[in-house]
Amino acid sequence: MTVLTCEAPHPSLATALPGRLRAGFRLFQIRDVLIAAWLVLAATAVVYADELGQDWMPEELTLPEDAEVVTDRAIGSTVRMFSISTRADVDELLAVWEENLGSSGYSVTQGADDLLMRSIEFSGPGIANAKIIVAPSTSDGRGLIEFDATLR
């Protein structure tokens, strides 16, 4: 049989305070709980966004498994800017994406400046216009791919 030798706990601070202070103490605790809940939800949303990519992107644009989000911005309800870095062959990715978008009913265009830059311009359901650009490689050899879109 185990015998506990500690003293009985002292009454909590909240019950030892007079009525008005006790109510204020409870409000203080509720505020802290709400702030903590908000922080957890915000952190969860950031992780969820990083894991799932962009909800506006067509399914035909499959991101490489090693893709790391570099920037993610939304301006208003229609402008989206998003960039990733990857070790995957970015030229091969662009070729696959261009073929997938074209065969899925997206309008894929190539301007004169697109011939000099590695990029894809397209539009389609829910997207007024979008451009995918391959930026110069980063110092660690990873390719940087930028997505800019204006949604409908």
Side-chain angles (χ1 to χ4, degrees):
M1 178 168 156
T2 304
V3 177
L4 297 176
T5 58
C6 0
E7 297 179 22
H10 294 92
S12 75
L13 179 61
T15 57
L17 295 173
R20 287 185 91 176
L21 288 175
R22 195 176 322 145
F25 187 73
R26 280 192 211 113
L27 288 176
F28 182 71
Q29 288 176 329
I30 291 170
R31 185 195 70 186
D32 287 349
V33 168
L34 291 175
I35 289 172
W38 181 83
L39 289 173
V40 168
L41 287 174
T44 302
V46 168
V47 170
Y48 186 72
D50 276 349
E51 289 178 356
L52 295 181
Q54 304 294 305
D55 61 351
W56 62 267
M57 287 178 55
E59 293 176 6
E60 291 76 13
L61 301 177
T62 305
L63 298 178
E65 288 185 22
D66 73 333
E68 292 179 13
V69 176
V70 177
T71 59
D72 184 3
R73 295 185 184 139
I75 301 172
S77 61
T78 58
V79 177
R80 301 290 182 267
M81 293 179 278
F82 175 64
S83 65
I84 61 168
S85 69
T86 181
R87 290 204 184 277
D89 182 347
V90 292
D91 292 322
E92 184 179 313
L93 274 174
L94 280 184
V96 168
W97 289 345
E98 187 171 4
E99 182 180 325
N100 289 351
L101 288 168
S103 65
S104 297
Y106 286 85
S107 174
V108 179
T109 58
Q110 194 169 39
D113 62 334
D114 296 337
L115 296 174
L116 300 175
M117 295 176 27
R118 299 178 291 177
S119 65
I120 303 171
E121 288 186 48
F122 65 96
S123 60
I127 300 174
N129 61 39
K131 190 167 192 171
I132 303 171
I133 302 169
V134 175
S137 296
T138 60
S139 61
D140 65 352
R142 295 177 67 85
L144 186 64
I145 304 171
E146 300 174 351
F147 302 83
D148 295 323
T150 302
L151 308 178
R152 293 186 180 155

